[in-house]
Amino acid sequence: MANATKPYSVAIDLGSGALKSFNKKVEVKLRDLRGFFYDRGAVDAAVYGLKNPTVYEYFENSQPSARGQMNFGVTTLNPGKVGSEYYMTRGHYHAKKRAAEIYVGLGGKGIVVMQTKEGRFFHSPISRGRIVYIPPLWAHRTVNTGEEKLSFFYAYASDAGHDYGTIRRKGFAKLVVEKGGRPKIIDNPKYSP
Ligand code: PA5
Ligand code: NI
């Protein structure tokens, strides 16, 4: 079990991406994402038809929120779509300005979309063996564009904080949608900078 004051280690199954021990588990279901997908009607229809499926989970070794500490864990994001938009995480800015994050792809295939409040945008593929560096001030969202579960390891400052409200209100500048059987990054018509 995680102990904030002593060093410790935990096992990870690099085959399945399963973290063997964690002190926090969060399950995010489709209904929780209603305000984040472009097509809310499609969310409502899918929630009704599929009985509110799990979109993603994360398993974390959480330390106390204190300067110098880090949280780390594994996120697993199921394959699926809402309308033409692929399943994705809510996405967030870190509440603290000086808080970067590192992702390490473990399995599956997807895209990490990142943006700043000044209007910069970047996207990076994520898959097994790929590391994504998310600098301070960049909001980040992960999208599963494959047919299998996407899993990745993450680590960030434990006092970074999560600002979901800005993304809920304004959205991301770009959407990742399926077009002709392939992922395509398009402008979000509803985006307000
Ligand atoms: O710390 C991170 O950026 C990730 O672990 C995310 O929290 C995780 O992937 C879930 O996404 P979100 O926090 O945007 O719901
Ligand atoms: Ni983060």
Side-chain angles (χ1 to χ4, degrees):
M1 175 50 75
N3 181 318
T5 55
K6 285 191 198 148
Y8 66 95
S9 70
V10 299
I12 182 168
D13 181 334
L14 290 173
S16 68
L19 200 58
K20 295 293 175 66
S21 123
F22 47 87
N23 58 6
K24 180 177 171 185
K25 176 186 165 185
V26 177
E27 184 177 6
V28 180
K29 296 189 157 232
L30 191 51
R31 190 179 290 126
D32 307 321
L33 294 166
R34 189 173 187 277
F36 294 89
F37 281 106
Y38 178 77
D39 187 345
R40 290 185 186 177
V43 173
D44 293 340
V47 164
Y48 184 74
L50 295 170
K51 297 189 171 60
N52 198 21
T54 297
V55 177
Y56 62 96
E57 292 175 289
Y58 50 100
F59 307 86
E60 187 161 288
N61 279 265
S62 212
Q63 328 306 337
S65 174
R67 195 168 177 192
Q69 298 273 6
M70 292 181 80
N71 292 341
F72 65 90
V74 169
T75 300
T76 59
L77 177 55
N78 286 324
K81 275 184 298 170
V82 172
S84 62
E85 204 174 3
Y86 293 101
Y87 274 10
M88 63 188 189
T89 61
R90 286 169 289 189
H92 55 266
Y93 289 93
H94 288 155
K96 276 219 167 144
K97 288 188 177 134
R98 295 184 191 174
E101 181 149 359
I102 287 183
Y103 286 177
V104 183
L106 298 170
K109 201 169 129 183
I111 297 175
V112 183
V113 290
M114 292 164 265
Q115 69 181 29
T116 67
K117 290 181 178 164
E118 286 73 42
R120 294 171 76 193
F121 180 83
F122 194 81
H123 65 94
S124 168
I126 187 161
S127 59
R128 185 173 175 76
R130 179 159 289 267
I131 298 166
V132 181
Y133 177 63
I134 303 159
L137 301 172
W138 284 77
H140 39 288
R141 162 181 286 167
T142 312
V143 185
N144 186 346
T145 56
E147 276 158 24
E148 286 153 30
K149 202 175 263 239
L150 171 66
S151 58
F152 61 92
F153 173 88
Y154 62 85
Y156 65 99
S158 72
D159 62 349
H162 294 81
D163 169 12
Y164 294 108
T166 305
I167 301 297
R168 190 190 292 274
R169 280 195 312 279
K170 303 185 170 203
F172 256 75
K174 309 268 181 183
L175 306 175
V176 186
V177 299
E178 191 211 60
K179 216 164 182 194
R182 305 187 53 170
K184 199 161 182 241
I185 298 172
I186 60 165
D187 288 339
N188 178 1
K190 286 188 194 161
Y191 182 65
S192 59

